[in-house]
PDB file of all heavy atoms in Angstrom:
ATOM      1  N   ASP A  14      61.749 126.891  53.487  1.00  0.00           N
ATOM      2  CA  ASP A  14      62.317 126.632  52.192  1.00  0.00           C
ATOM      3  C   ASP A  14      61.621 127.493  51.039  1.00  0.00           C
ATOM      4  O   ASP A  14      62.259 127.562  49.959  1.00  0.00           O
ATOM      5  CB  ASP A  14      62.278 125.190  51.739  1.00  0.00           C
ATOM      6  CG  ASP A  14      63.307 124.362  52.536  1.00  0.00           C
ATOM      7  OD1 ASP A  14      64.372 125.004  52.983  1.00  0.00           O
ATOM      8  OD2 ASP A  14      62.993 123.188  52.859  1.00  0.00           O
ATOM      9  N   GLU A  15      60.416 127.913  51.414  1.00  0.00           N
ATOM     10  CA  GLU A  15      59.564 128.608  50.360  1.00  0.00           C
ATOM     11  C   GLU A  15      59.878 130.047  50.396  1.00  0.00           C
ATOM     12  O   GLU A  15      60.178 130.776  51.505  1.00  0.00           O
ATOM     13  CB  GLU A  15      58.158 128.369  50.557  1.00  0.00           C
ATOM     14  CG  GLU A  15      57.694 127.005  50.656  1.00  0.00           C
ATOM     15  CD  GLU A  15      57.990 126.227  49.364  1.00  0.00           C
ATOM     16  OE1 GLU A  15      57.906 126.879  48.265  1.00  0.00           O
ATOM     17  OE2 GLU A  15      58.470 125.168  49.410  1.00  0.00           O
ATOM     18  N   PRO A  16      60.009 130.753  49.158  1.00  0.00           N
ATOM     19  CA  PRO A  16      60.043 132.156  49.234  1.00  0.00           C
ATOM     20  C   PRO A  16      58.864 132.869  49.967  1.00  0.00           C
ATOM     21  O   PRO A  16      57.813 132.401  49.707  1.00  0.00           O
ATOM     22  CB  PRO A  16      60.099 132.626  47.659  1.00  0.00           C
ATOM     23  CG  PRO A  16      59.788 131.305  46.930  1.00  0.00           C
ATOM     24  CD  PRO A  16      59.792 130.140  47.898  1.00  0.00           C
ATOM     25  N   ALA A  17      59.148 133.721  50.922  1.00  0.00           N
ATOM     26  CA  ALA A  17      58.018 134.196  51.641  1.00  0.00           C
ATOM     27  C   ALA A  17      58.082 135.788  51.932  1.00  0.00           C
ATOM     28  O   ALA A  17      57.141 136.358  51.995  1.00  0.00           O
ATOM     29  CB  ALA A  17      58.147 133.603  53.139  1.00  0.00           C
ATOM     30  N   ILE A  18      59.250 136.265  51.830  1.00  0.00           N
ATOM     31  CA  ILE A  18      59.452 137.686  52.063  1.00  0.00           C
ATOM     32  C   ILE A  18      59.492 138.397  50.634  1.00  0.00           C
ATOM     33  O   ILE A  18      60.262 137.965  49.808  1.00  0.00           O
ATOM     34  CB  ILE A  18      60.581 137.883  52.980  1.00  0.00           C
ATOM     35  CG1 ILE A  18      60.351 137.257  54.255  1.00  0.00           C
ATOM     36  CG2 ILE A  18      60.803 139.517  53.203  1.00  0.00           C
ATOM     37  CD1 ILE A  18      61.006 137.574  55.438  1.00  0.00           C
ATOM     38  N   LYS A  19      58.835 139.499  50.608  1.00  0.00           N
ATOM     39  CA  LYS A  19      58.711 140.079  49.200  1.00  0.00           C
ATOM     40  C   LYS A  19      60.105 140.900  49.043  1.00  0.00           C
ATOM     41  O   LYS A  19      60.875 141.347  49.882  1.00  0.00           O
ATOM     42  CB  LYS A  19      57.679 141.266  49.215  1.00  0.00           C
ATOM     43  CG  LYS A  19      56.300 140.568  49.279  1.00  0.00           C
ATOM     44  CD  LYS A  19      55.252 141.576  49.208  1.00  0.00           C
ATOM     45  CE  LYS A  19      55.131 142.360  47.925  1.00  0.00           C
ATOM     46  NZ  LYS A  19      54.174 143.497  47.866  1.00  0.00           N
ATOM     47  N   ALA A  20      60.458 140.884  47.695  1.00  0.00           N
ATOM     48  CA  ALA A  20      61.707 141.474  47.236  1.00  0.00           C
ATOM     49  C   ALA A  20      61.958 142.876  47.590  1.00  0.00           C
ATOM     50  O   ALA A  20      63.076 143.452  47.451  1.00  0.00           O
ATOM     51  CB  ALA A  20      61.980 141.123  45.711  1.00  0.00           C
ATOM     52  N   ASP A  21      60.817 143.598  47.878  1.00  0.00           N
ATOM     53  CA  ASP A  21      60.991 144.961  48.179  1.00  0.00           C
ATOM     54  C   ASP A  21      60.843 145.196  49.691  1.00  0.00           C
ATOM     55  O   ASP A  21      60.590 146.359  50.174  1.00  0.00           O
ATOM     56  CB  ASP A  21      59.918 145.824  47.394  1.00  0.00           C
ATOM     57  CG  ASP A  21      58.468 145.603  47.810  1.00  0.00           C
ATOM     58  OD1 ASP A  21      58.309 144.540  48.604  1.00  0.00           O
ATOM     59  OD2 ASP A  21      57.583 146.274  47.457  1.00  0.00           O
ATOM     60  N   ASP A  22      61.127 144.154  50.380  1.00  0.00           N
ATOM     61  CA  ASP A  22      61.023 144.364  51.938  1.00  0.00           C
ATOM     62  C   ASP A  22      62.143 145.264  52.332  1.00  0.00           C
ATOM     63  O   ASP A  22      63.277 145.223  52.003  1.00  0.00           O
ATOM     64  CB  ASP A  22      61.162 142.998  52.581  1.00  0.00           C
ATOM     65  CG  ASP A  22      60.810 143.184  54.149  1.00  0.00           C
ATOM     66  OD1 ASP A  22      61.669 143.651  54.824  1.00  0.00           O
ATOM     67  OD2 ASP A  22      59.701 142.802  54.404  1.00  0.00           O
ATOM     68  N   HIS A  23      61.773 146.391  53.050  1.00  0.00           N
ATOM     69  CA  HIS A  23      62.700 147.403  53.531  1.00  0.00           C
ATOM     70  C   HIS A  23      63.924 146.821  54.318  1.00  0.00           C
ATOM     71  O   HIS A  23      64.946 147.464  54.417  1.00  0.00           O
ATOM     72  CB  HIS A  23      62.038 148.496  54.229  1.00  0.00           C
ATOM     73  CG  HIS A  23      62.354 149.881  53.873  1.00  0.00           C
ATOM     74  ND1 HIS A  23      62.448 150.895  54.695  1.00  0.00           N
ATOM     75  CD2 HIS A  23      62.687 150.344  52.656  1.00  0.00           C
ATOM     76  CE1 HIS A  23      62.721 152.054  53.999  1.00  0.00           C
ATOM     77  NE2 HIS A  23      62.814 151.625  52.650  1.00  0.00           N
ATOM     78  N   GLY A  24      63.599 145.686  55.017  1.00  0.00           N
ATOM     79  CA  GLY A  24      64.669 145.145  55.809  1.00  0.00           C
ATOM     80  C   GLY A  24      65.789 144.660  54.819  1.00  0.00           C
ATOM     81  O   GLY A  24      66.970 144.755  55.117  1.00  0.00           O
ATOM     82  N   LEU A  25      65.305 144.137  53.696  1.00  0.00           N
ATOM     83  CA  LEU A  25      66.231 143.605  52.758  1.00  0.00           C
ATOM     84  C   LEU A  25      66.951 144.693  51.903  1.00  0.00           C
ATOM     85  O   LEU A  25      68.118 144.801  51.782  1.00  0.00           O
ATOM     86  CB  LEU A  25      65.574 142.666  51.647  1.00  0.00           C
ATOM     87  CG  LEU A  25      66.340 142.105  50.521  1.00  0.00           C
ATOM     88  CD1 LEU A  25      67.473 141.242  50.977  1.00  0.00           C
ATOM     89  CD2 LEU A  25      65.474 141.473  49.491  1.00  0.00           C
ATOM     90  N   LEU A  26      66.193 145.788  51.599  1.00  0.00           N
ATOM     91  CA  LEU A  26      66.651 146.797  50.719  1.00  0.00           C
ATOM     92  C   LEU A  26      67.686 147.731  51.492  1.00  0.00           C
ATOM     93  O   LEU A  26      68.753 147.956  50.900  1.00  0.00           O
ATOM     94  CB  LEU A  26      65.510 147.657  50.256  1.00  0.00           C
ATOM     95  CG  LEU A  26      64.583 146.896  49.257  1.00  0.00           C
ATOM     96  CD1 LEU A  26      63.490 147.860  48.876  1.00  0.00           C
ATOM     97  CD2 LEU A  26      65.276 146.476  47.963  1.00  0.00           C
ATOM     98  N   VAL A  27      67.368 148.069  52.690  1.00  0.00           N
ATOM     99  CA  VAL A  27      68.136 149.151  53.370  1.00  0.00           C
ATOM    100  C   VAL A  27      68.476 148.687  54.934  1.00  0.00           C
ATOM    101  O   VAL A  27      68.960 149.542  55.564  1.00  0.00           O
ATOM    102  CB  VAL A  27      67.552 150.509  53.376  1.00  0.00           C
ATOM    103  CG1 VAL A  27      67.429 150.952  51.816  1.00  0.00           C
ATOM    104  CG2 VAL A  27      66.149 150.589  54.048  1.00  0.00           C
ATOM    105  N   GLY A  28      68.162 147.472  55.185  1.00  0.00           N
ATOM    106  CA  GLY A  28      68.504 147.073  56.634  1.00  0.00           C
ATOM    107  C   GLY A  28      67.532 147.771  57.564  1.00  0.00           C
ATOM    108  O   GLY A  28      68.117 147.931  58.770  1.00  0.00           O
ATOM    109  N   ASP A  29      66.431 148.070  57.241  1.00  0.00           N
ATOM    110  CA  ASP A  29      65.476 148.779  58.170  1.00  0.00           C
ATOM    111  C   ASP A  29      64.706 147.739  58.925  1.00  0.00           C
ATOM    112  O   ASP A  29      63.615 147.243  58.537  1.00  0.00           O
ATOM    113  CB  ASP A  29      64.509 149.561  57.272  1.00  0.00           C
ATOM    114  CG  ASP A  29      63.277 150.225  58.089  1.00  0.00           C
ATOM    115  OD1 ASP A  29      63.556 150.336  59.233  1.00  0.00           O
ATOM    116  OD2 ASP A  29      62.328 150.538  57.450  1.00  0.00           O
TER     117      ASP A  29
END
Side-chain angles (χ1 to χ4, degrees):
D14 289 328
E15 300 302 322
I18 303 203
K19 292 178 69 183
D21 64 352
D22 193 282
H23 226 216
L25 173 67
L26 293 179
V27 297
D29 174 22

